[in-house]
Amino acid sequence: MDTFAGSLPLIKLFAVFAAMLAGIRYRLGLWPSVLGGSLLLGLAFGMPLPVWLTTAGVALTTVKTLLLAVVVILILVLSDILELSGQNRRLMDALSGYLTSPRLRLAFFPSLIGLLPMPGGAVFSAPMLGSVAEGMNIRPEDKVMLNYWFRHMWELIWPLYPGIILASSLSGVPLITLIAYTLPGMIFFTVLGWWFLLRPSRLPLPIEAVSERKPRNARKALLHGLPLLVAIVGSLGLEGLLSAARPDVPYEWGIIAGLATAIAWTMLQNGLKLGFLAKVLLQRKLLGMLLAIASIFVFKDVMAGSGVVEALSASAGGAMAMFAASVLLPYLVGLVSGITMAFVGATFPLMLGLLQQAGAMDSLIPYMVLSLFSGFLGVMSSPLHICYVLSCQYFEVGLGRPWRKLLAPCALLMAFAVAYFRVLA
């Protein structure tokens, strides 16, 4: 009986996460699932409904929440303008002349589309990869894997992805610092892609695969790629300057300035009117993303205010609680949702709270990196991931055959994450 009572907080927490996962799984939506989960969490740990409402109201009006909402809006607006204006396609055409290796071309176009955080972006790169693969005698399931794997190689280091920005915002770790720690994982991810998908003994290509070279034009490539360069260099540069010169100013302002400049430049470069921008801003997916951010910050504050962390630390034991928070729960949420922002928003508040409760904030970076890779592996191995489903549909192959090819590289990436965690810790 004492054992059951001691594990009751952990049981409650898993029940709340199960309810959230069920909501995501059965298409209730990310923000209703997380918001409902925060209400269940508060009630399960004795938070009265009026207190929950007050906590939610405070969470929605904090500067951190509002700044992150602006950052995510600007990222999605820039991504849509580049796509709808045709600048993405022009950039790809301009860069094609520099791609002389057929293997490089197979990886390049999915990875280039991966620079933009578009939901289901694999559907844009699949036709490009299909065109490059013509005459190469590549099996459909291998095309799926190439498109899916290299589409996501940037997700944990690219500063335009909302998931990594949210992790930085929740933890208070500057974005450029967090990226520096996740970069080795991205390099290993790319090496795994080469070894399992592209190496000559794994993917033999006919000599005819080397097609005629397109003319090179560095000026055109730079011109069409300038909005991305402005967004990345401007955002990270201004963020770094603010962190160094004015640590009292939220670093998100640097990211906002860089993204706003990139959007303005893209509008001018393409001769777009304000009506075009208004059309982009009125898309439903923008509202959905804002509601997701709002629900995540409500969940974070409810977790802090309802005593979940204290109860879990006192009953479950430090090692078990940290394992659940940093490995198991991120993986499960990533697996069910197929969305990086979902596992970061749902599980990072718990992990951060447990570290604070234990007085172990000096271990913040190792646990953040471990959680990010564990959740990302859940996202990558999810058969419900929209990019995976769309890739399979485009290349007309069932979900099972390509998915089995994910098991070995994902297992090795998890082994790398654990080893890297031990090095950092």
Side-chain angles (χ1 to χ4, degrees):
M1 195 68 178
D2 289 341
T3 302
F4 175 77
S7 61
L8 190 57
L10 192 59
I11 293 172
K12 289 180 181 179
L13 184 66
F14 271 98
V16 169
F17 271 91
M20 291 167 59
L21 294 177
I24 295 170
R25 170 66 178 83
Y26 293 106
R27 300 294 187 268
L28 179 61
L30 177 57
W31 76 264
S33 302
V34 175
L35 188 64
S38 74
L39 177 58
L40 289 176
L41 187 72
L43 295 175
F45 284 86
M47 176 180 279
L49 182 58
V51 177
W52 180 86
L53 290 170
T54 302
T55 304
V58 171
L60 294 177
T61 54
T62 61
V63 173
K64 204 76 171 171
T65 306
L66 298 174
L67 287 177
L68 183 64
V70 173
V71 168
V72 172
I73 288 174
L74 292 176
I75 287 171
L76 294 179
V77 167
L78 176 62
S79 177
D80 282 350
I81 290 175
L82 289 172
E83 183 60 38
L84 295 174
S85 67
Q87 187 144 340
N88 278 350
R89 175 70 66 171
R90 292 193 294 274
L91 175 59
M92 290 172 201
D93 289 342
L95 291 172
S96 294
Y98 295 90
L99 306 174
T100 58
S101 164
R103 298 180 197 280
L104 180 59
R105 290 200 299 272
L106 287 169
F108 176 77
F109 289 108
S111 64
L112 184 62
I113 290 294
L115 294 176
L116 296 174
M118 298 180 293
V123 76
F124 293 98
S125 56
M128 300 169 197
L129 187 140
S131 177
V132 169
E134 284 182 8
M136 293 187 184
N137 195 28
I138 301 175
R139 292 177 298 182
E141 57 265 36
D142 291 328
K143 293 178 185 177
V144 169
M145 281 292 295
L146 287 164
N147 192 50
Y148 182 58
W149 191 266
F150 290 104
R151 159 81 175 88
H152 294 92
M153 63 181 286
W154 309 107
E155 190 138 354
L156 293 183
I157 68 153
W158 197 242
L160 295 187
Y161 270 93
I164 193 74
I165 291 175
L166 180 61
S168 169
S169 182
L170 288 172
S171 64
V173 176
L175 186 58
I176 195 168
T177 302
L178 183 56
I179 288 172
Y181 281 101
T182 55
L183 180 60
M186 173 265 177
I187 295 172
F188 189 69
F189 183 91
T190 307
V191 170
L192 288 174
W194 165 265
W195 182 257
F196 283 96
L197 302 175
L198 284 174
R199 77 182 196 271
S201 60
R202 174 67 185 81
L203 189 70
L205 298 178
I207 297 175
E208 295 80 10
V210 183
S211 60
E212 59 178 309
R213 298 181 183 180
K214 293 187 178 182
R216 296 181 176 184
N217 190 325
R219 181 178 175 277
K220 186 181 291 187
L222 180 61
L223 182 67
H224 293 311
L226 197 55
L228 276 177
L229 288 174
V230 170
I232 302 306
V233 177
S235 296
L236 292 182
L238 290 171
E239 180 211 8
L241 284 174
L242 272 178
S243 297
R246 290 292 304 276
D248 56 313
V249 176
Y251 66 83
E252 288 91 348
W253 282 114
I255 301 175
I256 289 170
L259 290 170
T261 303
I263 290 171
W265 174 263
T266 310
M267 297 281 291
L268 289 171
Q269 189 176 359
N270 289 280
L272 302 174
K273 306 297 184 184
L274 290 178
F276 182 90
L277 181 60
K279 180 182 176 182
V280 172
L281 286 169
L282 291 174
Q283 292 182 99
R284 287 185 62 186
K285 68 179 181 181
L286 276 180
L287 177 60
M289 189 64 80
L290 289 177
L291 290 172
I293 292 169
S295 65
I296 286 166
F297 274 82
V298 170
F299 187 89
K300 175 181 76 74
D301 282 14
V302 169
M303 182 169 287
S306 59
V308 175
V309 172
E310 292 82 354
L312 197 62
S313 297
S315 63
M320 183 186 295
M322 284 310 303
F323 173 78
S326 58
V327 179
L328 184 59
L329 288 176
Y331 180 82
L332 289 175
V333 177
L335 182 70
V336 172
S337 68
I339 302 171
T340 302
M341 227 174 121
F343 82 76
V344 172
T347 65
F348 266 53
L350 175 62
M351 179 200 67
L352 294 169
L354 287 170
L355 286 173
Q356 289 174 339
Q357 178 73 12
M361 290 303 285
D362 55 332
S363 299
L364 173 60
I365 292 292
Y367 276 105
M368 280 188 70
V369 172
L370 181 62
S371 296
L372 281 168
F373 278 105
S374 180
F376 177 63
L377 280 168
V379 169
M380 284 300 295
S381 57
S382 173
L384 303 175
H385 191 145
I386 186 65
C387 287
Y388 178 74
V389 173
L390 291 174
S391 295
C392 288
Q393 287 179 348
Y394 183 84
F395 293 111
E396 298 180 347
V397 64
L399 297 178
R401 279 188 296 164
W403 187 81
R404 287 192 291 270
K405 295 177 179 289
L406 283 169
L407 298 179
C410 283
L412 286 174
L413 189 59
M414 189 69 237
F416 170 84
V418 172
Y420 188 41
F421 166 77
R422 296 181 72 87
V423 170
L424 291 177

